[in-house]
Amino acid sequence: MDLTSFTDGAQYIAGKQTGGSGSEPFDVVNPADGSTVERVRLASTADVDAAVAAAGAALPEWSRATPGSRSEALLRLSAILADHAEDFARVETAQTGKPIKLSTEFDVPGTIDNTAFFAGAARNLEGKAAGEYSGDHTSYVRREPIGVVGSISPWNYPLQMAAWKILPAIAAGNTIVLKPAELTPLTSLMFARACTEAGIPDGVVNVVTGAGRTAGEHLVSHPGVSMVSFTGSTPVGKRVAELATATVKRTHLELGGKAPFVVFEDADLDAAVHGAVAGSLINSGQDCTAATRAYVQRPLYEAFVAGVAELFAAVRLGDPLNPRTDLGPLVSFTHRDRVAGFVERARGYGARVVTGGETGTVGHDGTDLTRGAYYRPTLITDIAQDSEVVQGEIFGPVLVVLPFDSDDEGLRLANDTPYGLAASAWTRDIQRSLRATREIAAGCVWINDHIPIISEMPHGGYKSSGFGKDMSQYSLDEYTQVKHVMYDITAVARKDWHRTVFGDRD
């Protein structure tokens, strides 16, 4: 089976890949050189209607399938993904510009593992034990599918985010319509085709590739959709919530982040420096959990800045298909210019750009960087806590470093943004680490590391970073609704509590 053919179009509805009925063609562009990877026709609202109808038609059969049969299908899917791992990695790199070593060693194996995890989780719906809680009745809890799920995934991790949306939804017995970002739809389409190959019935997994203002808003507002799951920016997430509220849909939002990286004076400096570079530059910084603002206790501040600057300068930009390339381009030229705008405005406010702050010209392998949306790793210091680069989500290879004195101050600064998705604290002191995990308001707090995720543990935020969890058993629970079932076990016709409504007690 060839998963990499897109000649039939960029929609996957009822088990078939088709063209969209939108009027304008759209180019999926390789941001490394500006070349067209695929030309597709985007979805119209009619395509969304067709996908929702297909999902609705498939729901009765799939929702009644046994957990074991759904599990077996996901195990087959995991094996198919593994067989096509190289194809997935190559296409993911082509449409996003991320280094092939990231696609090969992080995105694709993570997706395969996530699929295997949900194959097991499908057979493990948890609930309160059945029992006679009133004394006169036996009660138990059923976890049931919600229905048709409408999901919108982002462009930064197209394959992984598609999996994060699709897997828990279908493992729990729902059907789904996924709208990937139109910039990067190709591996989502491949994933949907792999689902069909794995024996998952037609209509269970559907993909509509369209613009947010048309396909996305129509999907979120659709009366045939019972739940909405969205990953993306906080402003767009607010719009999604507004639309979903109008039809009282369950809503799951994984939104923006501005992760703090808190380095206490007793930290392993070398570990913190290397962790900051990796944590801030993963996926060219286009990661909502990326380290974006480092707070370093003053005794280590100067050495930390110098160490990060040295490693930033040594990072290899180049052809994403070259396995020695460390940093690829940003996802588009428009986004690169947006990131550069943050840095230039910070310069205007007097910030010190220690290294980077430019697009660059030639990569480590001779790649002409001017043809792509490249931006060099950028380190900024000497800027106020309330500045735009500290408070706003830049979503690029930019790290701001600020000093702090007391532990109280460091933790206060860590919490001093609207976001709360992820954070890390670096210390050898167990009490400091426990305090950091307790007081930092974020959905994930790493100690002496930053970025690793695992299928068994949840991912999701606090505050303006949204609510709900991806991955883990907690994610599966998000896609179920709880029903209380209660049986009378007395066979008594005239129950004592009836007298509170009519008649007198004997």
Side-chain angles (χ1 to χ4, degrees):
M1 176 186 58
D2 180 12
L3 297 179
T4 63
S5 173
F6 306 101
T7 56
D8 293 333
Q11 320 303 321
Y12 197 82
I13 300 171
K16 294 182 176 59
Q17 194 162 310
T18 65
S21 59
S23 59
E24 295 297 324
F26 183 85
D27 287 342
V28 178
V29 174
N30 185 336
D33 58 14
S35 63
T36 297
V37 181
E38 293 288 341
R39 174 164 287 185
V40 302
R41 195 169 293 277
L42 297 181
S44 68
T45 56
D47 297 311
V48 175
D49 290 340
V52 173
L59 181 64
E61 176 189 356
W62 185 248
S63 64
R64 290 194 294 266
T66 65
S69 64
R70 294 198 294 263
S71 174
E72 289 170 1
L74 290 176
L75 285 173
R76 291 193 297 269
L77 175 60
S78 177
I80 291 169
L81 296 177
D83 288 343
H84 292 270
E86 186 176 335
D87 290 336
F88 274 103
R90 178 174 50 81
V91 175
E92 191 78 332
T93 286
Q95 67 178 350
T96 64
K98 65 179 64 189
I100 191 67
K101 65 180 180 179
L102 183 65
S103 297
T104 302
E105 299 178 28
F106 184 77
D107 297 60
V108 174
T111 302
I112 295 169
D113 183 73
N114 217 231
T115 306
F117 171 81
F118 279 107
R123 306 182 77 151
N124 187 37
L125 292 175
E126 295 183 346
K128 198 176 185 72
E132 289 69 52
Y133 295 99
S134 76
D136 293 338
H137 307 81
T138 295
S139 289
Y140 65 88
V141 168
R142 290 177 56 89
R143 281 197 175 272
E144 298 180 345
I146 294 171
V148 175
V149 178
S151 289
I152 299 177
S153 57
W155 49 256
N156 58 333
Y157 290 102
L159 175 61
Q160 285 206 84
M161 296 297 101
W164 284 15
K165 301 299 182 193
I166 292 169
L167 293 170
I170 67 173
N174 304 281
T175 57
I176 188 168
V177 178
L178 174 77
K179 193 203 86 65
E182 61 270 28
L183 292 176
T184 56
L186 303 181
T187 48
S188 297
L189 291 165
M190 292 171 64
F191 190 91
R193 292 172 71 178
C195 288
T196 298
E197 184 70 12
I200 294 172
D202 294 349
V204 172
V205 177
N206 307 274
V207 176
V208 289
T209 302
R213 289 288 186 183
T214 52
E217 294 205 355
H218 191 61
L219 177 62
V220 170
S221 305
H222 202 289
V225 170
S226 299
M227 175 181 173
V228 170
S229 177
F230 171 79
T231 296
S233 72
T234 297
V236 177
K238 291 178 180 178
R239 175 63 175 161
V240 168
E242 177 187 353
L243 293 170
T245 298
T247 46
V248 200
K249 294 176 176 29
R250 182 180 295 193
T251 307
H252 169 246
L253 301 174
E254 197 266 272
L255 307 178
K258 192 69 180 176
F261 187 101
V262 184
V263 183
F264 293 98
E265 61 189 355
D266 67 316
D268 180 327
L269 178 62
D270 189 51
V273 166
H274 282 79
V277 173
S280 62
L281 299 185
I282 186 171
N283 204 34
S284 298
Q286 299 167 131
D287 186 309
C288 51
T289 63
T292 58
R293 47 193 180 103
Y295 298 104
V296 184
Q297 207 150 23
R298 207 168 293 274
L300 295 184
Y301 176 74
E302 294 294 341
F304 180 88
V305 170
V308 171
E310 181 180 0
L311 288 183
F312 267 19
V315 167
R316 298 167 297 191
L317 280 69
D319 179 2
L321 289 175
N322 185 330
R324 291 179 59 80
T325 292
D326 298 321
L327 198 72
L330 298 178
V331 74
S332 69
F333 295 92
T334 298
H335 186 59
R336 181 199 63 186
D337 293 344
R338 177 183 177 275
V339 171
F342 272 95
V343 177
E344 291 310 307
R345 289 190 295 274
R347 275 194 175 108
Y349 286 113
R352 181 166 72 102
V353 178
V354 180
T355 188
E358 59 188 8
T359 57
T361 56
V362 180
H364 74 98
D365 51 2
T367 299
D368 180 3
L369 300 184
T370 63
R371 297 176 58 211
Y374 289 89
Y375 198 76
R376 291 199 176 279
T378 300
L379 179 61
I380 295 175
T381 62
D382 301 340
I383 191 77
Q385 170 67 15
D386 62 357
S387 65
E388 180 188 41
V389 291
V390 176
Q391 295 293 322
E393 188 174 32
I394 301 172
F395 226 58
V398 179
L399 176 65
V400 180
V401 184
L402 299 175
F404 70 91
D405 291 304
S406 69
D407 289 14
D408 288 348
E409 181 188 15
L411 295 173
R412 178 182 61 78
L413 292 171
N415 285 328
D416 185 28
T417 72
Y419 300 104
L421 186 57
S424 64
W426 298 73
T427 177
R428 292 184 173 99
D429 187 307
I430 185 63
Q431 299 302 326
R432 268 179 166 153
S433 68
L434 289 170
R435 183 184 178 192
T437 60
R438 184 174 64 249
E439 295 187 14
I440 294 177
C444 175
V445 179
W446 293 284
I447 299 298
N448 297 328
D449 209 343
H450 195 108
I451 285 296
I453 53 174
I454 50 174
S455 297
E456 291 84 357
M457 285 292 135
H459 173 86
Y462 286 20
K463 303 190 293 185
S464 291
S465 291
F467 47 82
K469 300 299 179 185
D470 289 314
M471 299 196 300
S472 80
Q473 186 72 36
Y474 295 98
S475 176
L476 187 71
D477 294 348
E478 297 272 347
Y479 291 89
T480 64
Q481 48 194 349
V482 173
K483 177 185 289 184
H484 170 212
V485 178
M486 196 173 198
Y487 279 88
D488 170 65
I489 59 173
T490 65
V492 174
R494 299 180 62 187
K495 294 181 172 58
D496 188 57
W497 76 266
H498 293 174
R499 306 287 76 79
T500 64
V501 182
F502 70 99
D504 298 320
R505 295 185 186 278
D506 295 334

